[in-house]
Amino acid sequence: MSESLSVADLSTVDRVLATARSIRRRIDFDRELAPEVLLECIDLATQAPTGAGGESWRFVIVSEPLLKAQIAHLYREVLDEFAALRGIIIKPTQRALVERLHEIPAMVLVCAASRPPAEVAAQVAYYGSVLPAAWSLMLALRARHIGATWTTLLAARQQALADLLGMPEDALHLVMLPVGYMKNATLRKAQRLGAREVTYWDRWGDGMAVETRSPRES
């Protein structure tokens, strides 16, 4: 039988969900992260629901200084290429992360143990078996006052990253979370579109029904 949450527990869960921000600057670069803490978070992450791909997630924790510097160099290359291609200016927070990425206490790379299939439906199941775990990991970190940034830029350097990490040929990198304890970070809810602005009822484009009827009404 499922266990309902108390009001206090529900409030805590809601706060974690509402304030899971990307932390790029307010990181304590001098405070070490105990391996046990990261493993505890990954244990929670692997409780995420899976699709047809099953438990295909794999996690690589990088804390060795030289390896972090090499990965940071790859990251900077991709970010600069992306900015030039899109004709955009890199945000100050992103630039701040890049400048000190090699100093981050740890990098957690979320990978898949196999390559994605060709069919769209199968791809949805494939990514749906890994990405929920990555998000649960970010939430578990947030609950422990550990900041993280969800970044997929390194997916553009699959072979180079695989060579650095000794990944097998079939493995695929998906998400990197640079992590460290937060320092002087103020976490608030972000300004987002409300549920009634992005939700349709029964038919695409029919949003007004959300205001006037319940799901049981015909």
Side-chain angles (χ1 to χ4, degrees), residues 110-127:
V110 184
C111 306
S114 61
R115 295 278 169 161
E119 302 81 9
V120 172
Q123 287 179 9
V124 172
Y126 169 90
Y127 291 111

Side-chain angles (χ1 to χ4, degrees), residues 30-213:
D30 299 318
R31 183 178 177 184
E32 292 187 4
L33 266 171
E36 293 77 15
V37 174
L38 293 176
L39 293 174
E40 182 180 82
C41 291
I42 291 174
D43 269 334
L44 291 169
T46 57
Q47 293 299 311
T50 64
E55 299 178 33
S56 57
W57 50 63
R58 297 293 184 271
F59 304 85
V60 181
I61 299 173
V62 178
S63 59
E64 196 277 321
L66 178 58
L67 192 52
K68 286 192 296 183
Q70 292 170 314
I71 293 174
H73 177 72
L74 287 178
Y75 188 91
R76 181 191 294 269
E77 281 186 347
V78 179
L79 183 61
D80 289 341
E81 290 174 7
F82 177 80
L85 181 64
R86 297 291 183 90
I88 61 176
I89 299 175
I90 300 173
K91 296 190 296 186
T93 54
Q94 292 174 321
R95 181 58 68 186
L97 174 66
V98 172
E99 294 298 330
R100 301 197 67 181
L101 185 56
H102 63 287
E103 300 177 58
I104 203 79
M107 300 171 177
V108 182
L109 293 96
V110 184
C111 306
S114 61
R115 295 278 169 161
E119 302 81 9
V120 172
Q123 287 179 9
V124 172
Y126 169 90
Y127 291 111
S129 294
V130 180
L131 296 184
W135 179 236
S136 288
L137 175 56
M138 193 167 179
L139 293 176
L141 293 165
R142 161 67 186 93
R144 288 157 178 77
H145 204 64
I146 298 171
T149 299
W150 179 290
T151 175
T152 58
L153 285 177
L154 288 175
R157 289 289 190 277
Q158 292 291 343
Q159 191 57 56
L161 193 62
D163 292 342
L164 286 175
L165 301 178
M167 294 169 59
E169 184 176 343
D170 287 344
L172 190 72
H173 165 69
L174 299 180
V175 178
M176 196 248 298
L177 300 178
V179 298
Y181 282 102
M182 287 181 272
K183 185 177 182 179
N184 301 323
T186 301
L187 303 179
R188 301 183 180 91
K189 292 180 65 173
Q191 293 297 319
R192 299 283 195 261
L193 294 174
R196 287 176 172 79
E197 299 175 88
V198 298
T199 306
Y200 306 130
W201 204 274
D202 291 332
R203 299 290 185 275
W204 187 281
D206 185 1
M208 293 301 295
V210 177
E211 302 283 351
T212 58
R213 70 181 183 185

Side-chain angles (χ1 to χ4, degrees), residues 5-12:
L5 297 176
S6 68
V7 173
D9 288 341
L10 187 60
S11 176
T12 299

